[in-house]
């Protein structure tokens, strides 16, 4: 088990290096810092001095990979690649365009993001799995048919509609909760309840349908027939036999996103003015703050890799056949 | 009153092709303490009958008529909740595939305890104690440990034993066994059949055995019912049934069985195939394929005719009112000619076409952080063979013994990790790919699964042409087209079928196409990897006949990989018996079948169920399962299961002992 | 002067591919059989009818040209406008050119905002002024509006009924000829769904489309049916123009990623070894970056490229088109991994199948086997993935454009429409029509795509096909 984890972590390293090289290429090779400066300062005649100043402010005034001018190790370390990409590995993200420390921002914004993402994740999982079980139990009846129709309809609606429509209805027409904003402590619940509900509802359609497919696939297997041949009731078959087997494919899709909950939700956070990492990312994208986007890309891939590892580990909980080595 | 009485049972399945009348007016009785066997080929409705009794039909199926009386109570009239009390309690069922029939994520004990808690007052530790007894009773060694294991940790035979323990947990009065050993190896099959017979006797259970295998039926059943196309056509006590089968279909089934005494000749086959059950029949369902059918058979559904000993048959031949006429038909057809041209099929052994020496195929097992090679799966570990033109060498062994791997390694489909393979003196293992390609036309392969061996997206003509195009054996479009037509005719299909897709053909026809594909490049060596084990007996006979005929006319050499001893007896000249990667005994077919030397060969041969129960040698039931090739036992691989084990067997692997001629054995008994 | 934008070219390429595969399928019975099963699906065919209507609009919008400049007195007319228009623009000329000052409600005759006007008596007043185009033909809106609208609706409905009957007549005539029965019998069979192909679903959907479209078309002549937006553009025009963007994103993206996904997936699965390791590494790396962020980073960088090279593009439409195309490719690059992984897994399974081994026994080359045996046997997965991805991509475009990393702001799309209208619900009084129109059209498009893809999946996925038969069978039994 430990050997397995160690090996997986070793495998993760080349992936992170790949992600790093990719972002480096994207941010510094496809477009030179000069290009970016010109674009940010306005395409029209910008003076070379202004460009130089812009680059210096952000630490982009160094060579990309190899610094001829520097001494010793500095030839390698005093470069954009080392300063901006390699340092990500020690979670040193540098400063955003507004001068704030990105690492600090991420730490403070993680809380509000989790406050939305975790309830959405747990509630959503519970609700969709329950719905899917109900549909699977009543398979090939009208309830199942219309349930699936409802799922398809719900997954055909844009998530923007859920957010805009929900906000309009609940906050503006019914005045049940504040339209947007955030407060610390218990007060937060007032602000969180609507975004949580909306995110959950937006995900019901596709998840329910997906889980229903998994359940039906399991119900068609031989061991279910054996269970029925024992004289078990349909409920016992569903909960004792099918559910446990279905957890294996369900976990594949579910566990991998758990670490990514830290990243928050882009749309919901920005609509509801919640100061989480999602809205941070959106603001950075809109402000074209490349340092922040780069940091988020790196964190995202780290979390994804952790998710993959967790997925594999979670199999050992539900599938006795899996022995990690 | 019978334990089970089935009266006019009708079951329909809805499919894309229409309504399938899978079970059509089937009636039979099973007495307490009796084994009644339903015998029939695939698709005749026997499994559907069993599932109908349990009311466990698939979603598309429904019972549309009849009665199922268990102790006089009509099961079909029960509510679903009442039926659940019957399932597992009064009647239990074991299924064909133990591998998929157990829940993979629940422990074995849990799955047995579940039945106990559902149907008996036993709960908790009491139920667990009882489960332990049951697991012990079905002969699972070390039951306390096994109870907490999961299905994937058990071998196929063990899983089927668990299924049996589960079925027995509710102490049922009727046990339905649906092809209980079809997925198992011969020696394991012998174990399980022995167990089933013994349990049935001890508990005085009624048993409904469903099987396609005449041998198994003969071994277990007291009475037999033959099903054909959804209905029963013959019911008789075992003795009468095997002594004088009456229905022409039953006759044919017997005649199609490969047997040693039929070696020289061709097997009888049944022309055509089972009619689709969507058909509405107007006469006898077998009439189209029956050699004795006359006009009446196509017009009038035959009635049951019961002889004095209770031997019932559904055939106009036995209609007493037609005694004169049917007698004539009976007489005309009772001549079953066997041609006996033994000379042509076994040419003298000449220079070897294929010489395999010390062939090894090892697969590495990787472990740890850096995936170091921690061991080897020795799938093939030092196999030596010789094969000459016009001869058939049967490589016999149970699943997992490495025989298929050996076949692929010989053809260089897998590159062997050691040893040598010489084809006409040329060493294949070291051959560069280009040179090897040129030789590929000389050696071809026919696979087991007729459904997986043809690309579903290609037309039959293109499938056969593939080899010719790849190896460029026939130049020019026109020449190839001619050859394709020729080949199709040669394997008993028609040239007009070349534009069709594989799914339009039956299993037997597909296997013919696969043979035509291999023949297209005019090979001299044909590796046949279980080419008939997925086919019904009557279809198997067709393919065996074809193979035999092709060998006689084209002088092919066959390396015939199989676990089916009956086929070997019929077809092979020489036999090599394989156990856990090594050949334990070699010799001509007569030598080995008449006088097996190696204890494994002996057990293997004795485990094959024979038709004539009286002539059956005593079955040598082997202990346990075949060990894993990743971790073979020290010394002789067979010694932990060997009934004649000696102290030195555990110390070293016995060397090859030559017994004269081509005969050799690896066993300390003969050193 | 006709002009072919990059995305137009790819759309035409796609159509050529479609026609080509039509011929390919027509010669292969097993594919035809699957497509026939698609044709049997009522929901699928109804959805396809809707999609076809969208596709026709999208194609009209893909025939681009630059209008010839009006001859100015004394000079020969030899210049072309720098504005790129499409055939759809020409059809919708009154809608496109009929801009108002600002918001107006659907079918309104007056503006939605008060303006200060000078009354004839010299005093000033804050009133809702008349629209320049919407209902401009009415003398007295208060009196005539209701009558005029109902008259136009009636005319539209009459036209719809007429067109619908024509279609039905053609279908019935064709059916009657085919089966050699009379009209009433043919009609009965179509209506009761006794046909193989779900003709009744197609005709019913067509009827609904015509009954909705007829009145809208009739009204559009005199009114802004869906109102106007902040700068006075007709919302109906905007929604119709958005369709092409959605379709392009949904299809070109897939087209762009297919070669990668298919080739890499099959090669990785079949060859194994280090090739497999490299390809797996590639897609795990790409996959590990959260999709939105990778898209955001790529789009930001692409924007810099486009912005720093203004000289590459002759017209603004071409620049917007380049950005749309780049977005498609970026979405493609970030979304091929899923399909690649599926294909790799399937190839691993196929590789072990006997017919592949038989081909190896003939010494067939690896490329030959991959092309002849593996590819045709994974095509159903590719097809299912393509149709299933479509709806997701249309939805993604809206979200991305909303965030600001989608299409060019000058490209009309559902996303840009929602983006510009996002604050309108917060206005007092509420302006709801832009959002509702955009969401409704997008919903219909995505729903149709989802239903159609379900039908395709049911017909092509062997596992689901079996279950479907069981389910319908049970339906019949019940």
């Amino acid at each position: 088990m430990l050997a397995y984890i160690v090996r997986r972590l070793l495998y993760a390293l080349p992936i992170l290096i790949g992600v790093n090289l990719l972002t480096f290429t994207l941010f510094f090779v496809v477009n030179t810092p000069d290009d970016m400066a010109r674009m940010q300062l306005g395409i029209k005649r910008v003076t070379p001095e202004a460009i130089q100043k812009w680059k210096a402010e952000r630490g982009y005034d160094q060579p990309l990979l190899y610094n001829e001018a520097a001494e010793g190790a500095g030839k390698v370390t005093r470069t954009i690649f080392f300063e901006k990409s390699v340092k990500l590995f020690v979670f040193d993200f540098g400063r955003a365009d507004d001068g704030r420390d990105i690492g600090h921002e991420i730490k403070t914004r993680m809380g509000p993001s989790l406050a939305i993402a975790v309830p959405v994740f747990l509630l959503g999982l519970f609700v969709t799995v329950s719905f899917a079980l109900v549909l699977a139990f009543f398979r090939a009846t009208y309830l199942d048919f219309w349930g699936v129709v409802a799922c398809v309809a719900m997954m055909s609606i844009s998530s923007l509609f859920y957010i805009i429509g929900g906000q309009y209805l609940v906050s503006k027409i019914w005045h049940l909760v504040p339209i947007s904003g955030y407060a610390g402590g218990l007060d937060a619940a007032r602000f969180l309840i609507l975004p949580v509900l909306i995110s959950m509802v937006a995900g019901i359609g596709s998840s329910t349908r997906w889980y229903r497919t998994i359940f039906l696939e399991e119900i068609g297997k031989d061991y279910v027939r054996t269970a029925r041949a024992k004289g078990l009731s349909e409920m016992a078959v569903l909960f004792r036999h099918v559910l446990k087997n279905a957890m294996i494919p369900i976990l594949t899709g579910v566990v991998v996103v758990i670490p990514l909950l830290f990243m928050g939700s882009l749309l919901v956070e920005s609509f509801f003015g919640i100061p989480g990492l999602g809205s941070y990312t959106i603001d950075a994208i809109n402000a074209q703050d490349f340092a922040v986007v780069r940091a988020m890309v790196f964190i995202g891939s780290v979390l994804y890799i952790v998710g993959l590892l967790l997925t594999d580990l979670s199999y050992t909980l539900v599938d006795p056949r899996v022995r990690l080595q | 009153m019978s334990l089970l009485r089935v009266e006019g049972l009708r079951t329909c399945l809805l499919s894309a092709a229409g309504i399938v009348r899978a079970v059509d007016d089937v009636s039979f009785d099973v007495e307490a303490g009796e084994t009644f066997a339903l015998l029939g080929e695939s698709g005749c409705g026997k499994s559907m009958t069993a599932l109908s009794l349990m009311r466990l039909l698939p979603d598309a199926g429904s019972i549309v008529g009849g009665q199922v009386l268990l102790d006089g109570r009509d099961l079909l009239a029960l509510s679903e909740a009442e039926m659940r009390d019957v399932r597992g309690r009064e009647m239990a069922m074991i299924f064909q595939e133990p591998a998929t029939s157990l829940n993979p994520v629940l422990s074995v004990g849990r799955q047995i305890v579940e039945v106990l808690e559902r149907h008996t007052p036993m709960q908790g530790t009491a139920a667990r104690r009882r489960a332990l007894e049951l697991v012990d009773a079905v002969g699972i060694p070390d039951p306390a440990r096994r109870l907490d294991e999961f299905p994937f940790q058990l071998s196929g035979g063990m899983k089927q034993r668990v299924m049996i323990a589960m079925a027995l947990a509710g102490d049922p009065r009727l046990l339905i066994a649906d092809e209980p050993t079809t997925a198992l190896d011969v020696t394991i099959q012998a174990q399980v059949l022995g167990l089933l017979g013994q349990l049935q006797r001890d508990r005085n259970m009624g048993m409904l055995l469903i099987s396609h295998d005449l041998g198994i039926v003969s071994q277990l059943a007291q009475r037999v019912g033959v099903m054909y196309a959804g209905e029963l056509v013959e019911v008789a006590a075992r003795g009468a049934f095997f002594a004088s089968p009456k229905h022409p279909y039953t006759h044919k089934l017997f005649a199609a069985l490969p047997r040693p005494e039929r070696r020289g000749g061709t097997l009888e086959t049944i022309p055509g195939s089972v009619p689709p059950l969507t058909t509405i029949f107007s006469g006898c369902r077998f009439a189209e394929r029956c050699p004795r059918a006359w006009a009446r058979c196509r017009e009038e559904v035959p009635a049951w005719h019961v002889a004095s000993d209770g031997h019932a048959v559904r055939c106009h031949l036995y209609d007493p009112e037609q005694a004169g006429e049917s007698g004539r038909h009976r007489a005309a057809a009772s001549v079953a000619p066997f041609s006996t041209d033994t000379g042509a099929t076994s040419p003298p052994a000449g220079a070897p076409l294929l010489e395999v020496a010390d062939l090894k195929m090892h697969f590495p097992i990787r472990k740890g952080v850096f995936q170091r090679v921690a061991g080897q799966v020795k799938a093939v570990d030092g196999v030596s063979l010789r094969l000459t033109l016009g001869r058939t060498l049967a490589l016999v062994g149970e699943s997992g013994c490495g025989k298929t791997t050996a076949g692929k390694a010989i053809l260089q489909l897998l590159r062997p990790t050691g040893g040598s393979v010489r084809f006409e003196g040329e060493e294949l293992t070291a051959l560069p790919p280009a040179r090897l390609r040129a030789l590929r036309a000389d050696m071809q392969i026919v696979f087991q699964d007729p459904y997986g061996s043809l690309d579903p997206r290609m037309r039959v003509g293109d499938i056969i042409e593939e080899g010719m195009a790849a190896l460029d054996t026939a130049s020019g479009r026109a020449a190839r087209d001619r050859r394709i037509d020729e080949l199709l005719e040669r394997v008993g299909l028609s040239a007009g079928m070349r534009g069709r897709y594989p799914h339009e053909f039956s299993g037997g026809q597909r296997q013919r196409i696969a043979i035509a594909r291999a023949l297209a490049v005019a090979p001299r060596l044909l590796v046949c990897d279980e080419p008939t084990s997925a086919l019904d007996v009557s279809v198997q006979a067709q393919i065996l006949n074809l193979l035999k005929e092709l060998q006689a006319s084209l002088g092919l050499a066959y390396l015939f990989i199989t676990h089916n001893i009956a086929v070997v007896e019929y077809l092979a000249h020489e036999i090599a018996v394989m156990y856990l990667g090594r050949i334990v005994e070699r010799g001509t077919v007569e030598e080995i079948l008449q006088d097996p030397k190696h204890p494994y060969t002996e057990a293997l041969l004795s485990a094959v169920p024979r038709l004539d129960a009286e002539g059956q040698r005593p079955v040598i039931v082997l202990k346990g399962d075949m060990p894993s090739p990743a971790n073979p036992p020290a010394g002789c691989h067979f010694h932990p299961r060997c009934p004649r084990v000696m102290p030195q067997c555990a110390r070293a692997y016995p060397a090859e002992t030559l017994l004269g001629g081509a005969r050799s054995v690896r066993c300390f008994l003969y050193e | 002067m006709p002009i072919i934008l990059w995305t137009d070219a790819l759309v035409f390429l796609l159509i050529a591919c479609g026609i080509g595969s039509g011929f390919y399928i027509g010669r292969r019975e097993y594919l035809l059989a699957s497509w026939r099963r698609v044709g049997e699906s009522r929901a699928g065919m109804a959805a396809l009818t809707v999609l076809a209507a969208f596709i026709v609009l999208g194609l009209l919008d893909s025939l681009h040209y630059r209008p010839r400049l009006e001859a100015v007195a004394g000079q020969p007319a030899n210049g072309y406008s720098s504005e790129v228009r499409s055939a759809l623009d020409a059809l919708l000329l009154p809608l496109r050119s009929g801009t108002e000052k600002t918001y107006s409600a659907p079918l309104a005759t007056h503006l939605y905002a008060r303006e200060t006007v000078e009354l004839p008596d010299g005093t000033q007043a804050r009133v809702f002024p008349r629209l320049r185009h919407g209902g401009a033909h009415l003398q007295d809106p208060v009196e005539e509006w209701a009558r005029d609208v109902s008259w136009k609706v009636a005319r539209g409905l009459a036209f719809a009924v007429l067109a619908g009957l024509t279609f039905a007549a053609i279908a019935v005539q064709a059916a009657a000829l085919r089966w050699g029965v009379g009209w009433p019998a043919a009609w009965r069979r179509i209506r009761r769904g006794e046909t193989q192909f779900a003709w009744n679903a197609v005709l019913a959907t067509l009827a609904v489309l015509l009954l909705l479209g007829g009145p809208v078309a009739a009204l559009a002549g005199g009114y802004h049916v869906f109102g106007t937006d902040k700068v006075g553009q007709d919302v109906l025009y905007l929604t119709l123009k958005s369709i092409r963007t959605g379709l392009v994103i949904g299809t070109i993206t897939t087209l762009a990623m297919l070669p990668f996904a298919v080739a890499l997936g099959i090669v990785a699965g079949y060859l194994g070894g280090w090739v497999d390791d490299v390809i797996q590494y590639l897609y795990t790396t790409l996959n590990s970056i959260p999709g939105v962020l990778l898209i955001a980073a790529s789009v930001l960088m692409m924007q810099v490229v486009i912005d720093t090279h203004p000289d590459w593009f002759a017209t603004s439409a071409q620049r917007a088109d380049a950005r749309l195309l780049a977005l498609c490719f970026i979405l493609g690059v970030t979304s091929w991994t899923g399909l690649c992984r599926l294909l790799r897994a399937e190839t691993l399974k196929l590789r072990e199948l006997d017919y592949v081994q038989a081909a190896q026994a003939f010494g067939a080359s690896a490329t030959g086997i991959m092309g002849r045996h593996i590819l045709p046997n994974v095509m159903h997965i590719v097809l299912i993935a393509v149709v299933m991805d479509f709806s997701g991509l249309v939805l993604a475009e809206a979200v991305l454009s909303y965030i600001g990393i989608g299409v060019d702001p000058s490209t009309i799309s559902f996303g840009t429409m929602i983006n510009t209208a996002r604050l309108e619900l917060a206005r007092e009084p509420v302006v709801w029509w832009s959002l509702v129109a955009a969401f409704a059209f997008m919903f219909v498009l995505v729903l149709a795509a989802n239903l159609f893809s379900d039908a395709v999946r049911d017909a092509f996925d062997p596992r689901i096909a079996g279950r479907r038969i069981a389910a319908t069978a049970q339906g019949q039994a019940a």
Side-chain angles (χ1 to χ4, degrees), chain B residues 41-52:
Chain B
E41 295 185 288
S42 55
C44 70
K46 51 192 194 305
S47 286
M48 279 302 150
T49 308
L51 291 175
S52 302

Side-chain angles (χ1 to χ4, degrees), chain A residues 35 54 118 152 158 205:
Chain A
D35 287 337
W54 187 89
V118 171
V152 175
S158 169

Side-chain angles (χ1 to χ4, degrees), chain B residues 201-222:
Chain B
R201 277 190 304 278
D202 291 355
R203 299 174 164 239
N204 201 30
M205 274 188 307
M207 183 152 87
L208 176 63
L209 173 74
I210 292 180
S211 181
H212 68 282
D213 188 323
L214 282 163
I216 293 174
V217 169
S218 146
Q219 197 178 325
L220 275 190
Q222 276 95 51

Side-chain angles (χ1 to χ4, degrees), chain A residues 14 156 172 209 271 286 301, chain C residues 281 288 301 402-403 425 450 454:
Chain A
S156 302
K172 191 163 177 218
R209 207 168 77 123
F271 262 102
N286 285 332
S301 36
Chain C
Y281 169 73
S288 74
M301 287 307 121
Y402 176 80
I403 300 179
L425 282 186
N450 274 332
D454 275 5

Side-chain angles (χ1 to χ4, degrees), chain C residues 422-443:
Chain C
R422 64 178 148 176
L423 295 176
E424 288 173 4
L425 282 186
R427 262 179 60 104
E428 283 300 339
V430 166
V431 175
W432 48 269
W433 43 88
S434 290
L435 279 175
V436 168
F439 278 129
F441 266 72
M442 196 158 69
F443 173 69

Side-chain angles (χ1 to χ4, degrees), chain B residues 248-284:
Chain B
Y249 173 65
T250 322
H251 269 279
K252 283 284 191 184
L253 279 186
F254 276 95
L257 276 186
R259 290 196 223 184
E261 59 269 27
R262 299 197 174 125
R263 271 183 61 79
T266 49
L267 295 168
E268 270 213 53
T269 59
I270 309 178
S273 54
V274 181
L277 296 181
T278 43
T279 331
I280 295 181
F281 298 97
S282 58
C284 172

Side-chain angles (χ1 to χ4, degrees), chain B residues 8-25:
Chain B
L9 181 69
R10 288 171 195 274
T11 297
C12 286
L13 292 172
L14 289 147
S15 79
I19 296 175
V20 176
R21 278 169 285 277
V23 181
D24 203 358
D25 196 11

